[in-house]
Amino acid sequence: EAIAARAHFEIGEILDRQEECTQAFRHFIRANEFQIRNEHSMQQQKKKYFSEVTRIHKAINGDYPQLVRNTDQITHPTIIFLLGFPRSGTTLLDQALDSHPDIQVMEEQPALEVVLNQLEKNGVYPARLEHLNTEELDKLREQYFEVVDKHIDRKDTGVLVDKFPLNIRYVGLIEKLFPDARLLIALRHPCDVVLSCFKQYFKLNPAMANFTSLKDTADLY
């Protein structure tokens, strides 16, 4: 099934380039059907991921100022979080930024995931943000930079760009930890993004598993 999925993706891509759109779309459908069938455990995980994003969205929209209010005076390197949705052009953008001598890009490393896992030992994100004290925030920042330091040398870094598109769901955590960090959101037309995710071969994880259906891709977007 894994081989069949790859074959249908390739055939779909060839037909798409030949402007045989209807046939290409059928192959992309088949490719995604084979792929999700090959990863049985992903059916439940994709639903769990979608539910988690929905829960965070509601909480941040409802209690955002209260949850992330932060008056801490902190010192750290200039950080830019490059966020968005897969297939929005984040990779091209991070390559352009990384060419600057004063910028280092950290590509899709789980620094915020590590922080979140520690945070949720004593509560649920994002509600837990409201109750963090200065000492706890300092420890979480230390854990973030421990991951960063495994991947880049910060000694000569004027600006750190943390590129991980779907970390956009952690924007509340980012603002709580680094209130003066900048958020750089990559935007592309939603129709382009959704269709591109649907027709792209991804190694499945709970997020990417949502791209195996055009409707689920659009819903997650």
Side-chain angles (χ1 to χ4, degrees):
E1 290 179 339
I3 294 174
R6 291 298 297 268
H8 279 288
F9 274 119
E10 291 293 338
I11 295 169
E13 185 64 32
I14 292 169
L15 289 169
D16 190 27
R17 293 183 182 186
Q18 294 176 339
E19 299 186 359
E20 298 287 347
C21 301
T22 301
Q23 292 185 56
F25 191 69
R26 290 183 185 133
H27 282 281
F28 290 130
I29 291 174
R30 291 293 289 152
N32 281 293
E33 288 173 347
F34 275 117
Q35 193 173 23
I36 196 67
R37 192 186 307 163
N38 188 53
E39 299 281 352
H40 304 289
S41 63
M42 284 298 165
Q43 286 285 10
Q44 288 303 117
Q45 290 187 50
K46 68 179 266 191
K47 294 177 182 178
K48 182 179 179 182
Y49 183 88
F50 185 86
S51 297
E52 185 73 1
V53 170
T54 302
R55 183 183 62 78
I56 292 170
H57 179 260
K58 289 180 179 178
I60 292 294
N61 276 346
D63 302 315
Y64 182 76
Q66 180 180 358
L67 291 175
V68 304
R69 186 178 293 114
N70 188 350
T71 59
D72 285 1
Q73 297 297 315
I74 59 177
T75 302
H76 55 71
T78 300
I79 305 177
I80 296 174
F81 289 89
L82 177 50
L83 311 171
F85 204 79
R87 308 298 295 171
S88 292
T90 53
T91 299
L92 181 61
L93 182 54
D94 89 49
Q95 290 173 349
L97 292 171
D98 204 33
S99 67
H100 193 288
D102 295 329
I103 296 175
Q104 285 201 65
V105 176
M106 182 177 70
E107 290 196 44
E108 304 197 12
Q109 299 299 330
L112 281 178
E113 289 281 357
V114 170
V115 172
L116 185 73
N117 290 338
Q118 181 63 35
L119 179 73
E120 292 201 319
K121 289 181 179 180
N122 297 304
V124 178
Y125 174 77
R128 176 78 176 95
L129 296 179
E130 183 182 357
H131 306 289
L132 290 171
N133 59 40
T134 299
E135 182 180 353
E136 289 172 318
L137 286 168
D138 285 339
K139 288 181 179 179
L140 291 174
R141 292 185 193 107
E142 287 175 9
Q143 289 180 318
Y144 174 85
F145 285 117
E146 282 176 6
V147 177
V148 171
D149 289 338
K150 292 178 182 178
H151 301 282
I152 66 171
D153 183 358
R154 289 191 291 134
K155 292 179 182 178
D156 300 320
T157 301
V159 177
L160 165 65
V161 175
D162 183 342
K163 177 249 184 174
F164 206 131
L166 285 176
N167 275 350
I168 194 168
R169 66 197 190 279
Y170 299 144
V171 69
L173 176 59
I174 291 170
E175 188 165 342
K176 188 75 170 184
L177 289 176
F178 306 112
D180 57 346
R182 298 175 182 180
L183 305 182
L184 183 57
I185 313 298
L187 293 176
R188 182 184 176 194
H189 194 287
C191 293
D192 290 333
V193 173
V194 169
L195 182 60
S196 185
C197 285
F198 176 71
K199 56 184 276 196
Q200 184 75 19
Y201 172 77
F202 288 110
K203 182 175 175 57
L204 291 191
N205 59 34
M208 304 304 178
N210 284 274
F211 303 155
T212 56
S213 145
L214 195 60
K215 181 182 183 304
D216 290 345
T217 309
D219 287 346
L220 183 60
Y221 183 92

